Amino acid sequence: MNKTFDDSICACSLLQCFFGVFFAGKFSKSKGIGVFGNDAKDTNIPVEVWRYYLLTNRPEVSDTLFTWADLQAKLNSELLNNLGNFINRVLSFIAKDPALEDGKGVGYCSVIPEAPGAESHPLTKTFGETVGDYVQQYLEAMEKVKLKQGLKIAMAISGEGNAYLQESKFWKLYKEDYHSCSVVMKTAAGLVYLLACLLEPFMPSFSLEVLKQLNLPPETQVLLSDEKGDIERARRPWEFLPAGHKIGTPEPLFKELTDEEVELFRQKFAGSQADRILKAEAEAEAKELAEKLQKTEVSDGRVKKQRPTKSAAEAKPKASAEAEISICRLDIRVGLITKAQKHPDADSLYVEEIDVGEGQPRTVVSGLVKYIPLEDMQNRKVCVLCNLKPATMRGIKSQAMVLAASSSDHSKVELVEPPQSARVGERVTFPGFEGSPDDVLNPKKKVWETVQLDLHTDKELVACYKDVPFSTSAGVCKVSSICGGTIR
């Protein structure tokens, strides 16, 4: 790899310090709107997580958009469940002592096993060829300074490692075919070392920790190069670590980011930095005043109690709940269509049974027959507006509305889909817009009609209110192909 690549990584390092990611409206450094370097530090989320997130979302041809739900999904699904899970499974199994009770009769006492004939083990040989092909693609991407692609390929190799472990059933092999199990474990441990090398340009502190757990000095790590024959070496991952090498102590590499933590961060970093400072000062003053007023005054032998005080926020006059019409008034949830059929009395309507997390499904009537085949409506996750006033459509009462996007000429309609891992019944949120939904939208107030004017899909196919994405705990909601469509 050349100096161009090194300079690009340096530029990305600066990005970690000065890049502000925005989550409600446009990012503005001058106005302090966004999540800045000092904010990221205050979260105590490890630096390698932020580096990974920013690099995977690095804007190369267009702006990027930050949501806490997206950060949570990338940490929990990609770093924790993919990369961290693979490395920890491998090293923890090798570290076990079969003679101890907690070893459950398996393990290699932290020593890399002998694995003669690994090249003739069918599953391992195929796996090695796959890894070699990926490493070749990785080097080509990095030479062209396609950093996002390089990182994506490295993570794909980790995914292949997990698949290799699952297919080998190493936990059974130990007692059924010890030699094959040793081949799998030596190969997997070699892949752990390879991943430390591949990911070092992106997450150097992560790579150092992996080398520590492998009991290898930092200088063991190498920048890979085709000129040095590293592609061919990668096709034989069982050769990276010598038999008899004693590894260090395995530890979890990543920590789950919980829903509670995400909500805390969402509230803490809402608005501009100036707003956050004023809010913190107001809360501190209110707390100090409340402590003073809670003290009692003694007069004429009697205790005179002070009236309970309100917080600074409560002391301000509240706007009427009806004064502002915004997306937070809508109760949009993740729903699962459990059954869909044609309306018995209307050729253009479907009747769906949709689970929205209430125990009993809701009946929903949708005019989608001309646009979406019936088979594509079955067992599908959708976004459902749940607080419209129920309406009877050709004899059947519809208790909600399925949200869909239509093209500018209305010739194409597509469902707005949450991520597959989103929880059924969870509320779709809009970062920066907080508040409880109306129980039922009053038709006379035209809340839905007003909000609907700002619902659309962007050029990345993300469903948005103004420029804020439909967000769930598993990520943002999208459509298949309609860019710049209207959502209704």
Side-chain angles (χ1 to χ4, degrees):
M1 298 181 200
N2 55 31
K3 191 176 186 297
T4 303
F5 167 72
D6 294 333
D7 289 344
S8 297
I9 292 296
C10 289
C12 285
S13 297
L14 290 175
L15 181 68
Q16 317 313 315
C17 298
F18 299 114
F19 184 76
V21 288
F22 63 92
F23 49 87
K26 293 292 184 183
F27 159 71
S28 173
K29 183 176 180 182
S30 61
K31 295 179 181 179
I33 297 174
V35 179
F36 293 83
N38 59 315
D39 298 326
K41 184 179 179 182
D42 289 344
T43 65
N44 290 321
I45 295 173
V47 63
E48 58 264 30
V49 175
W50 284 109
R51 288 180 64 94
Y52 177 80
Y53 179 82
L54 290 172
L55 284 161
T56 55
N57 288 279
R58 183 171 179 251
E60 294 180 340
V61 294
S62 63
D63 290 337
T64 190
L65 184 67
F66 171 81
T67 67
W68 290 105
D70 191 32
L71 174 68
Q72 179 189 34
K74 282 187 166 52
L75 168 53
N76 293 350
S77 298
E78 299 174 21
L79 291 177
L80 178 62
N81 293 340
N82 175 8
L83 181 63
N85 177 61
F86 171 72
I87 293 173
N88 194 253
R89 287 178 80 189
V90 173
L91 299 188
S92 294
F93 191 85
I94 292 174
K96 287 182 177 181
D97 183 345
L100 298 179
E101 183 177 349
D102 59 358
K104 297 182 180 180
V106 298
Y108 295 90
C109 297
S110 298
V111 175
I112 301 294
E114 297 276 357
E119 64 281 354
S120 61
H121 186 260
L123 178 63
T124 299
K125 181 175 176 57
T126 301
F127 175 64
E129 291 296 326
T130 300
V131 171
D133 291 342
Y134 269 122
V135 169
Q136 182 173 3
Q137 295 171 29
Y138 169 89
L139 291 175
E140 290 172 355
M142 299 301 269
E143 287 294 341
K144 295 175 182 177
V145 200
K146 295 183 177 180
L147 305 182
K148 285 176 69 173
Q149 184 179 348
L151 180 54
K152 183 178 180 180
I153 292 169
M155 293 298 290
I157 292 175
S158 174
E160 291 291 339
N162 276 309
Y164 173 65
L165 291 181
Q166 286 301 110
E167 190 172 354
S168 71
K169 293 183 173 58
F170 66 95
W171 58 93
K172 290 184 178 180
L173 281 181
Y174 187 88
K175 294 180 179 179
E176 297 174 359
D177 187 346
Y178 182 82
H179 174 261
S180 291
C181 185
S182 297
V183 169
V184 170
M185 284 295 104
K186 192 171 191 290
T187 301
L191 192 71
V192 170
Y193 167 75
L194 178 61
L195 287 169
C197 296
L198 296 174
L199 292 168
E200 192 277 338
F202 308 101
M203 299 185 290
S205 56
F206 159 82
S207 294
L208 286 174
E209 177 59 26
V210 173
L211 290 178
K212 177 184 175 184
Q213 294 190 23
L214 285 171
N215 193 26
L216 294 172
E219 58 269 20
T220 306
Q221 196 173 48
V222 295
L223 280 176
L224 303 180
S225 170
D226 190 17
E227 288 80 6
K228 296 188 297 183
D230 287 327
I231 293 176
E232 287 307 310
R233 287 185 68 212
R235 298 187 190 280
R236 302 184 302 277
W238 55 86
E239 294 182 359
F240 277 120
L241 298 177
H245 173 75
K246 190 177 180 72
I247 67 171
T249 303
E251 297 286 348
L253 292 161
F254 301 101
K255 178 180 176 290
E256 180 184 15
L257 185 60
T258 66
D259 293 342
E260 292 75 18
E261 290 171 319
V262 167
E263 185 58 32
L264 176 65
F265 293 145
R266 186 182 286 123
Q267 293 179 12
K268 181 177 180 180
F269 298 108
S272 69
Q273 287 188 314
D275 291 339
R276 296 171 208 160
I277 293 172
L278 290 174
K279 181 180 178 182
E281 291 176 347
E283 289 176 350
E285 290 176 4
K287 182 178 179 181
E288 182 180 355
L289 181 61
E291 290 175 349
K292 289 180 179 178
L293 293 177
Q294 282 176 357
K295 296 179 180 179
T296 58
E297 295 179 0
V298 179
S299 176
D300 297 330
R302 291 178 297 176
V303 176
K304 182 179 179 181
K305 295 184 178 179
Q306 300 295 322
R307 291 182 180 180
T309 61
K310 295 183 178 181
S311 68
E314 291 174 332
K316 295 179 180 179
K318 293 185 178 179
S320 169
E322 296 292 346
E324 182 181 1
I325 293 179
S326 74
I327 192 69
C328 62
R329 301 272 298 272
L330 272 53
D331 183 9
I332 302 175
R333 302 185 211 167
V334 174
L336 175 66
I337 300 176
T338 58
K339 181 182 179 182
Q341 59 187 358
K342 291 280 191 70
H343 193 298
D345 298 317
D347 293 339
S348 63
L349 301 178
Y350 286 132
V351 180
E352 305 107 29
E353 297 293 323
I354 304 180
D355 181 1
V356 291
E358 296 175 329
Q360 293 295 324
R362 292 198 185 195
T363 300
V364 180
V365 180
S366 306
L368 298 170
V369 171
K370 292 191 297 183
Y371 306 101
I372 302 174
L374 182 59
E375 56 269 22
D376 290 346
M377 294 289 292
Q378 310 294 337
N379 297 312
R380 187 168 183 174
K381 284 188 177 177
V382 289
C383 290
V384 185
L385 178 58
C386 293
N387 61 341
L388 283 176
K389 185 176 180 180
T392 300
M393 302 176 69
R394 300 295 293 270
I396 296 179
K397 182 173 286 189
S398 182
Q399 300 170 316
M401 183 171 70
V402 174
L403 296 183
S406 62
S407 57
S408 57
D409 60 0
H410 305 294
S411 62
K412 182 188 286 189
V413 174
E414 295 175 348
L415 295 172
V416 176
E417 297 185 87
Q420 279 302 308
S421 55
R423 298 191 306 274
V424 172
E426 73 168 286
R427 189 181 175 198
V428 176
T429 59
F430 299 83
F433 293 90
E434 311 297 336
S436 300
D438 294 8
D439 291 334
V440 178
L441 295 175
N442 187 339
K444 294 181 180 180
K445 301 296 182 179
K446 302 295 182 183
V447 177
W448 161 244
E449 290 79 1
T450 302
V451 172
Q452 188 273 323
L453 295 174
D454 290 313
L455 301 181
H456 64 94
T457 59
D458 66 11
K459 57 188 175 182
E460 303 295 333
L461 308 179
V462 175
C464 296
Y465 168 65
K466 297 182 177 180
D467 54 5
V468 180
F470 284 52
S471 302
T472 73
S473 61
V476 299
C477 304
K478 306 181 76 172
V479 295
S480 298
S481 64
I482 298 176
C483 174
T486 301
I487 296 175
R488 55 170 59 88

